[in-house]
């Protein structure tokens, strides 16, 4: 819990309440996520007062609290990380499995899962894929100014070449008909998946 984290550092309860009061309007502190990075600075010489506190609201938004030494109150600032969209293209030959090949090409796991989902209506991944089949994938990533990937976007093009036959899919984002379509303009979404168990 939020209180337990700060209690580890013997932060006075009054300080904890003050921090919570400043954060509560922006974030529900009862729903802390695991692996959340909270950064703060403590003045050891002054009753363990917190002089600065940085709390992530999301991947791209942080709340920064800085103590004003004259008023002894926290000044709150929202820090937004601007992201740049980049298009990534990867292609590979399947030797062991689609997943293993894609991981070796540094394709993000959620993109691999989405790739499998959009082909799941027409491909049985347990029976249709053969060694040396090929795939291509073009997808969006969102990076900060240092090139660190914060999140991924849509797969905008994909091709799964099975036994020499291409199966190309294209993403359209027109309102009301968003999704992936084959080269004839037919949606990939069907009632049943070829491999209904998520393996």
């Amino acid at each position: 819990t939020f209180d337990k984290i700060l209690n580890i550092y013997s932060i006075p309860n009054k300080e904890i309440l003050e921090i919570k009061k400043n954060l509560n309007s922006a974030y529900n502190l009862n729903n802390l996520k695991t692996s959340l990075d909270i950064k703060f600075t403590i003045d050891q010489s002054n009753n363990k007062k917190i002089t600065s506190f940085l709390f992530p609201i999301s991947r791209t938004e942080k709340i920064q609290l800085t103590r004003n030494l004259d008023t002894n109150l926290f000044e709150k600032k929202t820090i937004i990380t601007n992201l740049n969209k980049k298009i990534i293209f990867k292609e590979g030959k399947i030797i062991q499995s689609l997943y293993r090949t894609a991981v070796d090409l540094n394709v993000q796991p959620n993109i691999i899962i989405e790739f499998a989902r959009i082909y799941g209506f027409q491909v049985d991944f347990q029976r249709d894929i053969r060694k040396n089949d090929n795939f291509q994938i073009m997808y969006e990533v969102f990076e900060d100014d240092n090139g660190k990937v914060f999140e991924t976007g849509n797969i905008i093009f994909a091709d799964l070449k099975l036994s020499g036959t291409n199966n190309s899919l294209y993403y359209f984002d027109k309102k009301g008909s968003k999704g992936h379509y084959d080269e004839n303009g037919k949606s990939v979404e069907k009632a049943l998946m070829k491999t209904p168990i998520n393996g």
Side-chain angles (χ1 to χ4, degrees), residues 20-46:
K20 286 167 78 172
K21 189 172 78 175
N22 279 277
L23 293 176
N24 264 331
S25 60
Y27 190 90
N28 183 358
L29 294 172
N30 294 321
N31 291 330
L32 287 186
K33 294 181 174 66
T34 55
S35 302
L36 195 72
D37 273 335
I38 301 169
K39 298 180 181 178
F40 52 94
T41 308
I42 305 165
D43 185 349
Q44 297 278 18
S45 65
N46 189 10

Side-chain angles (χ1 to χ4, degrees), residues 90 101-112 135 137 139:
K90 301 278 186 176
T101 304
V103 166
D104 289 345
L105 291 168
N106 294 320
V107 179
Q108 285 81 0
N110 58 319
I111 290 291
I112 304 171
F135 70 90
I137 185 168
Y139 60 95

